[in-house]
Amino acid sequence: MKKYDVKKLIYSSTCATYGEPEKMPITEETPQKPINPYGKAKKMSEDMIKDYARTTDLAATILRYFNVIGSDPEGRLGEAPRPELRHHGRISGACFDAAMKVIPGLQVKGTDYETKDGTCVRDYIHVTDLVDAHVKALEKLKPSKVSIYNVGTGQGKSVKEFVDACKAATGVNISVTYLDRRPGDYAEVWSDPTKINNELNWSAKYVDLTETLAMSWKWQQAHPNGYHPVAL
């Protein structure tokens, strides 16, 4: 970036840098104590950006994403991970694979967390809202300044609630198997989006989980092979 005189940066960070905070919701002032390699790596990158901006005219914004889901509401774009990556994909992809019988059912890992129903709680942010946050952040960049914002809805939804919403969106009674916890997962995390609301005039528009998943399901049905053409 320095070599090619790039002076504006929007960095895609994550709520995983907070680890497992003692209280909810998460603000930008919540201490960062990541508990997994992904969160640690993102925090290291954040620190590098902040250090570099102190002595240069770099204009940067760090966006800490919460859990991104959804497809373009117009049906133009959707999520289509390569086959070898599907096993490590998002819960929405696994739900749709189960609904389409690509896999026999959905596996939910962990039912003994200290949450309202025992499953993990997350803040699911629609990808279109996330795009909007990037555009607004770009418009407000200032030289030698690093701004930091949480990008989430401010609503926590459990994995069980997510599965119920997916069943409603697809109309398929997906088979669910409950397993032990996955190492490195935290019980609950959701955002306080007050800062980004006030400073960038941004707020999530797509907050109905069933509605968001229905958009994705429509795209999945229209593109069963992702971006690859259907074999004749």
Side-chain angles (χ1 to χ4, degrees):
M1 289 176 65
K2 182 178 179 181
K3 179 179 178 180
Y4 290 99
D5 201 32
V6 177
K7 296 183 178 180
K8 294 181 179 181
L9 172 66
I10 306 292
Y11 181 65
S12 302
S13 192
T14 170
C15 61
T17 64
Y18 295 113
E20 198 159 16
E22 293 180 4
K23 70 175 191 175
M24 293 289 145
I26 292 172
T27 73
E28 289 79 4
E29 302 304 315
T30 297
Q32 290 178 286
K33 298 177 181 179
I35 63 171
N36 56 38
Y38 175 65
K40 288 180 180 179
K42 287 289 190 180
K43 184 180 182 302
M44 289 170 66
S45 296
E46 285 192 16
D47 291 341
M48 290 167 61
I49 292 166
K50 287 185 278 189
D51 287 344
Y52 183 73
R54 286 191 183 100
T55 56
T56 67
D57 58 354
L58 177 70
T61 290
I62 293 169
L63 298 179
R64 292 175 182 158
Y65 303 178
F66 281 69
N67 291 68
V68 186
I69 60 170
S71 297
D72 169 41
E74 303 299 323
R76 297 165 295 186
L77 299 168
E79 191 172 18
R82 299 195 307 274
E84 66 270 24
L85 299 177
R86 291 176 89 106
H87 180 67
H88 304 285
R90 306 182 198 282
I91 184 175
S92 54
C95 279
F96 297 142
D97 280 349
M100 294 187 292
K101 309 301 182 186
V102 174
I103 57 176
L106 182 66
Q107 295 183 338
V108 172
K109 298 179 179 179
T111 59
D112 60 347
Y113 290 97
E114 291 185 14
T115 58
K116 50 190 170 184
D117 59 24
T119 62
C120 293
V121 172
R122 298 289 182 266
D123 187 338
Y124 296 100
I125 176 74
H126 194 291
V127 67
T128 301
D129 285 328
L130 189 62
V131 170
D132 185 41
H134 281 73
V135 174
K136 291 191 173 182
L138 188 61
E139 293 170 349
K140 296 283 187 176
L141 286 174
K142 294 180 181 178
S144 303
K145 181 179 179 181
V146 179
S147 299
I148 299 172
Y149 299 103
N150 289 335
V151 188
T153 65
Q155 300 178 18
K157 301 291 185 182
S158 75
V159 170
K160 280 185 178 178
E161 288 175 323
F162 190 101
V163 172
D164 288 342
C166 194
K167 289 179 178 180
T170 62
V172 178
N173 188 22
I174 300 164
S175 173
V176 182
T177 302
Y178 294 98
L179 305 174
D180 292 336
R181 296 185 184 190
R182 183 176 64 174
D185 273 345
Y186 27 84
E188 57 183 355
V189 56
W190 73 87
S191 71
D192 177 350
T194 300
K195 184 181 178 183
I196 194 170
N197 292 168
N198 292 340
E199 296 186 9
L200 299 187
N201 192 31
W202 176 93
S203 61
K205 297 176 182 176
Y206 299 96
V207 295
D208 185 292
L209 200 51
T210 302
E211 199 174 280
T212 293
L213 291 172
M215 293 178 197
S216 297
W217 178 239
K218 185 177 179 181
W219 191 89
Q220 293 286 336
Q221 288 181 300
H223 303 82
N225 294 300
Y227 292 100
H228 298 287
V230 178
L232 299 177

